[in-house]
Amino acid sequence: AATYTIAATVTDQNRQAIAGSGSFVVHPAKVYVGVRSERSVLREGEHTGIEAVAVDLDGARTSGNAITVDFVRRETTRTPVEKAGSWSFEYKTSEVRVGGCALVSDTSPQTCDVTPDTAGTYVARASTKDAEGHETRSEISVYVHGTDEIIWDDSSDRRVDLVADKRKYAPGDTAKILLRSPFTDARGLVLVEREGIAAQYKVVVQG
């Protein structure tokens, strides 16, 4: 969707100006597709379900819309290159489809089961069309860890990302945090804060 704004200014013969503006939203289609994963962080070989729904412009779920779910793996390679006497890495990312489903929307979420067998970054991409053939898409990322070294999509060599396996946790839950590190072998310090430092411990990053 895109938001457009129209503004106008009227000036009378006494040079008194009055201005006004208005905005409106242009939707790409009369139906949207929503997608989510039961878990956002997995270990290679683990199963998860990709849920998809279709909604109209009022946010109400619709039935009977054909939804295509593609589950793709992003494969990133890096090549050392020399520029102006200094060395750096060039990154190239391609996508490989490793699974997917053809679903039909209902008032309850429809599920596409996937089991990624290789560590890396995956994208679950869902698409649907309205009665006039206009298409909309949504996508989410799923991160899979394992024993192999992974080159993440981010080309920053000095940035470490933390990815939680769920959006919300209840008291007593155990959170699993994926460490997206650009380093093959490194040591780190983990700090848990709540009104100050609650805990701290060292970790070793390998692979």
Side-chain angles (χ1 to χ4, degrees), residues 11 15 21 49 53 68 98 101 120 131 149 174 186:
T11 304
R15 297 183 180 181
S21 64
V53 296
T68 300
V98 295
C101 299
E149 180 182 355
T174 299

Side-chain angles (χ1 to χ4, degrees), residues 16-152:
Q16 300 295 317
I18 298 178
S21 64
S23 300
F24 59 93
V25 178
V26 177
H27 298 279
K30 294 181 179 179
V31 63
Y32 279 88
V33 60
V35 62
R36 70 179 181 183
S37 174
E38 295 174 352
R39 299 169 58 192
S40 57
V41 177
L42 306 171
R43 184 171 181 83
E44 54 187 8
E46 288 185 338
H47 159 273
T48 190
I50 305 299
E51 297 181 344
V53 296
V55 298
D56 59 22
L57 298 184
D58 294 324
R61 294 182 180 179
T62 62
S63 302
N65 293 92
I67 299 177
T68 300
V69 177
D70 291 316
F71 194 63
V72 301
R73 182 176 66 248
R74 285 181 173 166
E75 297 182 347
T76 301
T77 59
R78 62 184 178 189
T79 305
V81 294
E82 182 181 8
K83 294 182 179 180
S86 61
W87 287 88
S88 61
F89 286 109
E90 284 189 353
Y91 291 79
K92 182 178 180 180
T93 300
S94 59
E95 292 188 347
V96 178
R97 188 179 187 275
V98 295
C101 299
L103 306 175
V104 178
S105 70
D106 203 344
T107 54
S108 60
Q110 301 301 293
T111 302
C112 177
D113 295 326
V114 294
T115 306
D117 58 0
T118 304
T121 299
Y122 291 77
V123 175
R125 185 176 294 127
S127 62
T128 191
K129 295 181 180 180
D130 62 14
E132 299 175 356
H134 301 130
E135 185 180 58
T136 56
R137 294 183 178 183
S138 297
E139 65 179 43
I140 57 172
S141 296
V142 177
Y143 302 99
V144 180
H145 62 93
T147 57
D148 296 332
E149 180 182 355
I150 305 171
I151 300 176
W152 301 106

Side-chain angles (χ1 to χ4, degrees), residues 142-164:
V142 177
Y143 302 99
V144 180
H145 62 93
T147 57
D148 296 332
E149 180 182 355
I150 305 171
I151 300 176
W152 301 106
D153 296 350
D154 191 357
S155 60
S156 174
D157 289 340
R158 298 182 180 274
R159 174 172 153 179
V160 175
D161 291 329
L162 302 178
V163 183

Side-chain angles (χ1 to χ4, degrees), residues 155-192:
S155 60
S156 174
D157 289 340
R158 298 182 180 274
R159 174 172 153 179
V160 175
D161 291 329
L162 302 178
V163 183
D165 64 333
K166 296 192 299 184
R167 296 181 60 184
K168 296 181 179 180
Y169 299 93
D173 288 349
T174 299
K176 294 183 178 180
I177 308 298
L178 173 68
L179 180 67
R180 294 181 57 194
S181 170
F183 309 109
T184 302
D185 295 293
R187 296 179 182 272
L189 177 64
V190 176
L191 298 177
V192 180

